[in-house]
Amino acid sequence: MEFIRVCAVTDIPEGAQKIVQVGVHKVALFHFENKITAIGNACLHKAGPLGLGKVEHKYEGLYVTCPWHGWEYNIQTGAAPPGYKDQQSLYEVKVEGDDVLVSTQPVKKAHRELHDLKIIEDLVKLDYLTTPDSKNILGISTTNMNDGLPRYSTSEAALELALAYAAEKHGASTKMLKLRELGFRACEGYYSQHMNACTWPCSITEMQPDDGMTQVYRDMILWADVVLVSTPIRWGNASSLYFKMAERLNCVQNQITLKDRVLIKNKVASFIITGGQDNIQQVAGQMMVFFTDLGFTFPPFSFLGWSRGWTAEDMDKNIMQFKQSEYIKRTAKEMVDNCMETLSQIKHVHTENIKAPKPHKEDSFSSGVINPDMNV
Ligand code: FES
């Protein structure tokens, strides 16, 4: 077997780890318990850098945890934890004098098992449920409240009005998601390590398919033709639950950067924004920027707003006036009519002709710069 010198022994003292180049492969070297061992650096999941992972005693062995999404490998055998059959490539290591040598070929080859993603297979395969004739209207209510102490929500009430009208007047299929009932994790920022670490379906969804965002992805990406998002105004912005959902939609937009793949096609969005005081236009602008970046189309006049001005601290009267408002009843319907008219037009758009003028990874000013720790 051939060996190649990768570093000096002094470069990797007890308790250290290091990523080295062996031919065309990157290899993660570990020096723990007086033994230097080497496994492939590219995690079998999405090629995260194992050499940057944390090494700990677990499962009666020494395991490294991938810093991207937590897959684990025994640093002495390359094996996955008990119960998993994945095998990371394992290299032989020799120490000669002050030199650390690694075999040029793995003594155990990498092998990745098929992992059961059946629960989210429709998302993986993008099994769209829309048809040329479908009229599927998804309402997403982003207001938060204590379900043990339910209260009247102006934004949700307007959304209910709009959905009822869409079903009655346009024969649409309607669905309402209330984010507060879904119980979903906040984005954990995998993208900030590497664009490939932010996956579709979302990394969190892969790890925890019963996370509440699975329902949002399924209904928004696969089922809906029209998405109506309602939000209260909280300190001049959309609700915190709206932003929690928006951050988890980074994986949808990231597919454009990674694969030039637009997941949202021929879909219309509009917004319901209500507050006791003001800032409707700022909230609408922020939401529209995000939703257009996902690929949604807007009808003209794509939001309904309600507020009573800066001095309107008497919130009890806000609800009273909202319930009596003919303006709300009328504009909720007009917004739906605008969405349906726009939908009937965009159903005929050839989406293959629509380009996403977004940066691709090769557009970065540093795309030619190599990060020695990364595998991709
Ligand atoms: S767990 Fe390693 S890349 Fe996902």
Side-chain angles (χ1 to χ4, degrees), residues 181-202:
E181 294 176 350
L182 296 184
F184 60 99
R185 278 158 66 177
C187 174
E188 288 155 15
Y190 298 100
Y191 179 83
S192 62
Q193 298 186 86
H194 194 291
M195 64 177 74
N196 288 26
C198 177
T199 61
W200 173 258
C202 169

Side-chain angles (χ1 to χ4, degrees), residues 41-50 65-73 112 190 196-197 199 203 206-207:
N41 185 50
C43 175
L44 299 174
H45 178 220
K46 299 283 176 188
L50 296 181
T65 302
C66 177
W68 284 8
H69 316 105
W71 284 30
E72 298 163 324
Y73 304 89
R112 182 185 159 151
Y190 298 100
N196 288 26
T199 61
S203 311
E206 273 196 356
M207 288 185 260

Side-chain angles (χ1 to χ4, degrees), residues 201-340:
C202 169
S203 311
I204 294 173
T205 307
E206 273 196 356
M207 288 185 260
Q208 191 187 336
D210 65 352
D211 174 81
M213 272 301 288
T214 300
Q215 196 60 43
V216 177
Y217 296 133
R218 189 165 278 142
D219 289 343
M220 182 189 283
I221 313 291
L222 303 181
W223 181 79
D225 292 296
V226 175
V227 177
L228 304 177
V229 183
S230 69
T231 183
I233 302 173
R234 299 266 191 257
W235 277 104
N237 284 303
S239 73
S240 56
L241 276 181
Y242 165 78
F243 284 107
K244 190 177 173 191
M245 171 185 75
E247 287 186 24
R248 287 287 302 276
L249 291 169
N250 189 70
C251 60
V252 176
Q253 195 274 331
N254 190 37
Q255 285 295 298
I256 300 169
T257 310
L258 283 178
K259 300 187 174 167
D260 204 8
R261 187 165 75 147
V262 179
L263 305 191
I264 305 272
K265 292 174 178 171
N266 302 94
K267 292 187 194 291
V268 175
S270 282
F271 309 104
I272 293 167
I273 302 158
T274 68
Q277 294 174 292
D278 59 12
N279 229 17
I280 292 167
Q281 286 163 317
Q282 191 270 338
V283 174
Q286 208 283 338
M287 293 174 92
M288 288 173 75
V289 164
F290 181 65
F291 272 73
T292 193
D293 242 17
L294 292 179
F296 281 92
T297 300
F298 304 117
F301 317 110
S302 61
F303 66 92
L304 174 174
W306 167 269
S307 78
R308 293 159 60 247
W310 178 245
T311 57
E313 295 283 5
D314 45 355
M315 295 302 287
D316 57 314
K317 293 181 196 142
N318 177 46
I319 294 174
M320 184 183 77
Q321 287 180 335
F322 181 91
K323 284 182 175 174
Q324 293 166 353
S325 169
E326 287 305 316
Y327 156 79
I328 287 294
K329 293 182 190 116
R330 187 183 75 244
T331 54
K333 293 176 182 176
E334 289 169 344
M335 188 184 67
V336 169
D337 290 339
N338 291 351
C339 285
M340 300 311 287

